[in-house]
């Protein structure tokens, strides 16, 4: 079986979990002596807790995009997303993990000596899972996030799309058994065997 620390969240939990991971990467990059080998997610050196894997389930990873999606459904004014994420597009971008990672990657390009390989070394393998029939958070939120994460240099960012699966089904599979749970556990096992 697999052994390790997993950050996992569903829906807004996936959003917050990826924010935490991106912030951890940024903090590690600021505190790493770039003249030596950067800390990898497997060493845990000089860091209290480092995840071995990240699993996001049906998450809204770009808040501006999700606010527009909610606007198309007519629920943007009653959604908790707007007040929690700051009432403006600028604040939505700050609350978006994919935008934060792009910003972090941009800072690295603008003068620091690190590259996308440093981000790769500091980032655990990532799995994003989404149901195709999700009407709460569209599966395109996951496909867009995966594309952006890979554009920042993350080599192991896998995506699984589940047919005939809606937003609630994904988390119910974890509680009662089903394709989402099976897919995640198989991915974790495969990752641990590759290391």
């Amino acid at each position: 079986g697999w052994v390790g620390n997993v950050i996992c969240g569903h829906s807004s939990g996936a959003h917050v979990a990826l924010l935490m991971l991106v912030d951890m990467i940024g903090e590690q990059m600021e505190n790493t002596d770039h003249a030596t080998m950067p800390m990898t997610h497997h060493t845990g050196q000089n860091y209290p807790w480092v995840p071995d894997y990240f699993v996001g389930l049906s998450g809204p990873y770009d808040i501006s995009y999700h606010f527009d999606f909610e606007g198309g459904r007519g629920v943007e004014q009653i959604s908790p997303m707007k007040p929690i994420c700051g009432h403006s597009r600028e604040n939505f971008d700050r609350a978006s993990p994919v935008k934060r990672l792009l910003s972090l990657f941009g800072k690295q390009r603008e003068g620091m000596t690190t590259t996308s390989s440093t981000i790769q070394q500091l980032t655990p393998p990532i799995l994003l899972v989404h149901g195709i029939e999700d009407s709460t958070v569209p599966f395109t939120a996951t496909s867009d996030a995966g594309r952006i994460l890979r554009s920042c240099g993350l080599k192991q960012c896998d995506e699984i799309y589940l047919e005939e699966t809606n937003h609630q089904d994904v988390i119910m599979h974890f509680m009662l058994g089903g394709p989402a749970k099976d897919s995640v556990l198989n991915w974790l096992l495969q990752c641990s065997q590759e290391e």
Side-chain angles (χ1 to χ4, degrees), residues 84-121:
I84 289 172
C85 293
H87 294 284
S88 73
R89 293 288 174 172
E90 184 178 288
N91 287 334
F92 291 169
D93 287 348
R94 284 190 198 116
S96 298
V98 294
K99 299 279 178 85
R100 278 198 201 178
L101 187 62
L102 282 172
S103 174
L104 183 64
F105 189 61
K107 287 178 186 174
Q108 297 308 303
R109 287 184 169 172
E110 291 172 1
M112 296 175 106
T113 58
T114 56
T115 64
S116 62
S117 65
T118 302
I119 292 175
Q120 176 63 41
Q121 290 173 318

Side-chain angles (χ1 to χ4, degrees), residues 2 4-8 49 51-55 188:
W2 61 272
N5 298 315
V6 180
I7 297 176
C8 182
W49 182 81
D52 296 301
Y53 309 98
F54 176 88
V55 178
L188 289 167

Side-chain angles (χ1 to χ4, degrees), residues 40-52:
T40 68
H41 65 277
H42 296 286
T43 65
Q45 298 168 342
N46 302 320
Y47 208 76
W49 182 81
V50 180
D52 296 301

Side-chain angles (χ1 to χ4, degrees), residues 166-195:
N166 67 39
H167 193 71
Q168 297 80 0
D169 292 339
V170 173
I171 197 63
M172 293 303 289
H173 292 173
F174 273 79
M175 292 186 277
L176 304 174
K181 179 181 178 182
D182 296 343
S183 297
V184 169
L185 292 177
N186 287 336
W187 179 82
L188 289 167
L189 183 60
Q190 180 183 355
C191 287
S192 66
Q193 290 172 348
E194 291 172 0
E195 295 175 353

Side-chain angles (χ1 to χ4, degrees), residues 136-169:
T136 303
V137 178
F139 73 89
T140 53
T142 287
S143 61
D144 290 346
R147 179 182 45 78
I148 290 168
L149 291 168
R150 284 187 295 279
S151 77
C152 291
L154 304 183
K155 292 186 176 112
Q156 185 151 9
C157 179
D158 299 318
E159 300 164 41
I160 296 175
Y161 297 96
L162 304 169
E163 294 191 20
E164 299 179 13
T165 303
N166 67 39
H167 193 71
Q168 297 80 0
D169 292 339

